[in-house]
Structures are given as structure tokens and as C-alpha cells.
Amino acid sequence: MDTRKRRRNRLIAAVCTTLLLLIILAICVGIIFRSNSGASSSEDLKTNIISRCETFLKNNDLDSSESICNTLWMTFTKAFVGQDPCAVPPEAYRQLFQSKYPACNRTLFWSKTKEISHKYTKEKKCLETLEDTLLGSVMDGLTWCGKNNSNEIFTSGCPAWTECTMNPVRSFWNWSSGMFAEHTCGAATVMLNGSIATPFDPSSFFAIEVGRLIYPRVSGLTVVLVTQKNVTSCENDSLQNLQKVLDPSLKYSCKVIPQSQILDCISDPHTPCGKCW
């Protein structure tokens, strides 16, 4: 009897162990499936965008009702869901809305100077970049795309930035950069990288923005060449090309400013913006 009892106990233990392993396997498969599914990616992206939207509106003392950010999400997804991820034109985002654009004389463009440009606008509060607007702050750093004849939204497996020119992310920044420039008024400023051979890149988004700066809505453009080492000057060939594509009626000026000078200005709350360069 004792032998039979021991065999039965071992059988029960083996069955329980097998069932436990099957349960663990099912849980793991479920986790893997959810992490790779478009639905999960869609919910994560939606949560992130709506949260960023609500935070921006609250921090800027704007109407932060839930409906505004939900409307932004729905309008945003209509631009690319169900579309070939390499065939989403910039115009697909034309229904998106901004809460506000910078006031006159407060626009700051940038090219290859993202970190210091944003550090400057965050601390000094006298100029604003595209990423300081509602859409720019909400979408900055995110990746998204759809697929042909699919209702799913993906945040991975999307076309790389240079893989195709009309991928959803690149087209969004193309469109929003153009709109940002078209709403610029008064004197504008751009921070360019003065430590590289070609501070003005004709394939950059700033090149798109330059073409939208029209006199008399925009009175002038000041180029701030941010340098860590003296590679370029205001006589650089690429800056000569910049002046050629700029509206000739605009007042143009250029200044070479050490990055250390701007950082010192940023860190000193008593230094007015006009003294940074």
C-alpha cells in the first residue's frame, strides 16, 4: 500500500508541475504577443500623446479639457493609419491644429543645435522653437506609422528616417516646420552649428523654413553661429547660399558666438536675453 501511495503522490506531483509549466508558458506567450502587437503599441502611443498634450496645455495656462487632446489624437491618426508608410505626404497632417504660435520677434529656428537651442528657450523664456509649441512638444522624439489596409498603429518596424522621404514621421516634421515658419512674424533668429563645415544644409528642415520667411511679415533673420571650435565664419559658403534663398527684402545679420558664452548666459538668471549674443 505504501508503494502504491508513493507512486500516486509522485504522479500527482508530476501532473501539477506540468500544469504549472503550461500556465507559465501561456503567460510568457501572452506577454510576447502583446509586446509585439500593433494594438499595444497604439495604446502606448495614444497614452503618451494625450498625456503630453494635457501637460503642455496645463503648463501654458491653456484650455486643458480632455476633448482637445482626444481630438488631436484622432486627427493625428487619420493622417497615416491604413496608408503605405512610405507614401504619407506632408499635406496629410493639414487638419492638425496648434494651440498657439510664438508672438512676433520670438521665433527661434535651429539646425544641428537642438540641445543648446532647447536649453536656451527653456531657461530664458524669450524665444520659442517648434518643439516649444503644442504639436512640436507632443510629437518630439516619437515614432509611428501605419500599414496598407490596416487599422493598426505601429511604433516599431516603421521606415527609417532616410528610407523614404514620405514616411509618416518625416512628413509630419516637414509639414509642421513649414507651418511654424509661415506663422513667424517680426525678427527671427536661428542657431546654426558653427563647428561644422556647412552650417546651412539645403536638405535640412531649416531650409524648408527659410523659404517660408516672407517680407514684410518677417522683417529679418539673425544667424547665431554657435561654435565650440573655430571651423566656420559668417563668410562660410553655405551661409552665402542661405542669403541667396532668403527673401532679399529681409534684413540679414550673422554673429559667431562661443557655446560657452551662451551657456553662461543661460545659467545666469540676471543676464537679459539680449546679452546672450
Side-chain angles (χ1 to χ4, degrees):
M1 294 293 296
D2 290 341
T3 301
R4 291 181 179 178
K5 186 176 181 179
R6 284 196 298 271
R7 288 178 178 173
R8 184 179 63 185
N9 290 341
R10 285 198 296 269
L11 179 60
I12 292 173
V15 170
C16 291
T17 300
T18 301
L19 288 174
L20 180 60
L21 290 173
L22 289 173
I23 291 171
I24 293 173
L25 178 62
I27 292 173
C28 291
V29 170
I31 291 173
I32 293 172
F33 176 77
R34 287 194 299 272
S35 67
N36 290 328
S37 69
S40 177
S41 297
S42 173
E43 287 306 312
D44 291 344
L45 183 66
K46 180 179 181 180
T47 299
N48 196 355
I49 286 178
I50 290 179
S51 174
R52 287 185 177 193
C53 173
E54 291 173 346
T55 298
F56 179 92
L57 296 177
K58 181 179 179 181
N59 290 343
N60 289 274
D61 298 320
L62 300 169
D63 183 358
S64 56
S65 64
E66 184 179 346
S67 62
I68 291 178
C69 296
N70 282 325
T71 299
L72 186 151
W73 166 255
M74 290 186 290
T75 306
F76 165 70
T77 58
K78 288 178 182 177
F80 65 91
V81 171
Q83 304 298 316
D84 181 334
C86 277
V88 178
E91 296 75 22
Y93 294 98
R94 65 182 180 276
Q95 297 301 322
L96 280 175
F97 58 89
Q98 282 279 20
S99 56
K100 67 182 184 71
Y101 286 97
C104 291
N105 307 312
R106 288 177 58 90
T107 296
L108 176 65
F109 300 102
W110 60 269
S111 184
K112 297 181 175 64
T113 55
K114 181 176 182 178
E115 183 177 351
I116 192 168
S117 296
H118 291 161
K119 183 177 292 186
Y120 177 84
T121 59
K122 180 180 179 180
E123 297 298 329
K124 304 307 285 187
K125 307 293 185 184
C126 52
L127 296 176
E128 299 175 57
T129 67
L130 172 56
E131 290 77 16
D132 295 314
T133 66
L134 172 62
L135 290 181
S137 66
V138 167
M139 304 302 176
D140 189 26
L142 299 182
T143 298
W144 64 87
C145 67
K147 302 290 183 183
N148 258 334
N149 304 315
S150 171
N151 291 324
E152 290 185 279
I153 295 173
F154 302 88
T155 56
S156 61
C158 297
W161 186 263
T162 57
E163 186 175 335
C164 50
T165 58
M166 288 201 297
N167 70 67
V169 178
R170 187 166 177 170
S171 286
F172 167 80
W173 290 109
N174 186 318
W175 173 83
S176 57
S177 294
M179 291 298 100
F180 185 67
E182 285 189 7
H183 285 83
T184 295
C185 59
T189 306
V190 60
M191 280 192 188
L192 298 180
N193 190 335
S195 296
I196 59 177
T198 54
F200 174 64
D201 180 356
S203 65
S204 67
F205 283 114
F206 176 56
I208 296 173
E209 293 162 335
V210 165
R212 308 287 182 92
L213 302 180
I214 306 300
Y215 184 86
R217 187 186 72 250
V218 181
S219 58
L221 176 69
T222 297
V223 173
V224 178
L225 271 182
V226 184
T227 60
Q228 297 184 55
K229 51 185 178 180
N230 293 325
V231 173
T232 58
S233 70
C234 287
E235 285 69 46
N236 181 271
D237 288 344
S238 72
L239 297 181
Q240 302 303 313
N241 293 332
L242 167 59
Q243 293 180 66
K244 291 177 182 178
V245 298
L246 195 64
D247 187 323
S249 298
L250 293 179
K251 181 181 179 181
Y252 173 88
S253 63
C254 176
K255 302 177 180 181
V256 178
I257 307 295
Q259 179 171 292
S260 57
Q261 177 178 326
I262 299 176
L263 292 174
D264 288 343
C265 180
I266 290 172
S267 62
D268 185 355
H270 302 295
T271 302
C273 293
K275 298 294 184 181
C276 290
W277 49 72

